[in-house]
Amino acid sequence: MAEHMAIDNAPPAANPGPHYDFQDAQAGDLGALAAIADAMKSDNLTDRLESLKRLGVLALAMGEERTRDELIPFLDESIDDEDELLLALAELLGDFVQYVGGPKYAFVLLRPLENLATAEETVVRDKAVESINKLVEVMDQLHVEEYLIPCIARLSSGEWFTSRSSAAGLYAAAYGKVTDAIQSKLRAGYDALCKDDTPMIRRAAASNL
């Protein structure tokens, strides 16, 4: 495997983990909110898909801070194995900025999307990359350098081809929002993808040139 980006790709520091107590949300109908939360854990795929469509309602009821601190980590830790649901979640998260507090908090959506960008199904990975690039449009330089660049580095150095192929789709959006020094590292990282031992990675790099 080719050498990859020589920048810090360490994951965020571990924390004790959030406490999910959706029924504490401030809203007129706690029963409806509890039903959404229960549906998200259902064995029935249709129920889980319907719950995703109502996540905006739940987020509004919980408020921006609790959405960031509880709902988004819950979604990240509850990544499903059904491609249809993963695709829906990847698309939804790209449009979730308003629920987490606006552009200055867009970075909190990167972690679940990064996980989705490693999915086995191509359409899920592509949608996750598309959503991450939508986030980049509203992120400032500081957050791009602090959160997105390590994300790209982790994906670029992933053991499985799925993560490296997704990484190829993120370089261009990041490139125009970082310093010259980081741009140099991005060029080196992309060059490594172009020389990857796996043909699928080289094809992904070529298609994103």
Side-chain angles (χ1 to χ4, degrees), residues 2-207:
E3 182 181 355
H4 297 287
M5 289 178 71
I7 59 179
D8 182 15
N9 62 353
N15 59 59
H19 171 62
Y20 311 118
D21 191 7
F22 297 126
Q23 295 190 48
D24 284 343
Q26 299 298 313
D29 190 351
L30 292 180
L33 298 180
I36 295 175
D38 288 342
M40 290 167 63
K41 306 172 188 176
S42 171
D43 292 332
N44 186 298
L45 175 60
T46 301
D47 288 344
R48 299 203 301 278
L49 284 170
E50 285 300 314
S51 72
L52 279 182
K53 295 177 183 178
R54 294 182 286 167
L55 276 183
V57 175
L58 182 57
L60 285 173
M62 294 179 68
E64 296 170 351
E65 183 175 0
R66 294 192 65 207
T67 294
R68 294 193 301 270
D69 295 344
E70 299 176 37
L71 180 57
I72 299 305
F74 172 79
L75 294 174
D76 187 25
E77 294 174 12
S78 304
I79 294 296
D80 203 278
D81 58 358
E82 294 284 352
D83 292 334
E84 188 177 356
L85 191 136
L86 293 177
L87 178 61
L89 180 59
E91 182 174 8
L92 178 142
L93 290 173
D95 296 319
F96 224 66
V97 172
Q98 61 178 314
Y99 299 113
V100 297
K104 67 180 179 179
Y105 291 109
F107 68 89
V108 305
L109 299 167
L110 284 176
R111 195 62 183 182
L113 283 169
E114 179 182 339
N115 287 335
L116 290 166
T118 67
E120 184 176 352
E121 182 58 46
T122 302
V123 292
V124 175
R125 297 197 306 272
D126 289 348
K127 182 57 69 173
V129 168
E130 179 183 325
S131 289
I132 291 175
N133 284 331
K134 287 177 69 174
L135 299 183
V136 178
E137 292 177 5
V138 301
M139 292 171 64
D140 61 23
Q141 178 180 337
L142 179 63
H143 283 172
V144 169
E145 294 181 352
E146 184 175 354
Y147 298 104
L148 178 64
I149 298 304
C151 168
I152 293 175
R154 287 190 293 269
L155 290 172
S156 296
S157 60
E159 179 179 1
W160 299 101
F161 79 90
T162 53
S163 66
R164 303 199 304 283
S165 64
S166 290
L170 299 175
Y171 279 76
Y175 192 82
K177 287 203 165 189
V178 296
T179 64
D180 291 345
I182 295 179
Q183 284 183 344
S184 177
K185 293 179 179 179
L186 286 174
R187 291 195 299 272
Y190 204 85
D191 182 64
L193 293 179
C194 291
K195 298 175 181 176
D196 195 281
D197 292 339
T198 306
M200 294 179 69
I201 307 305
R202 298 197 299 274
R203 183 164 63 246
S207 67

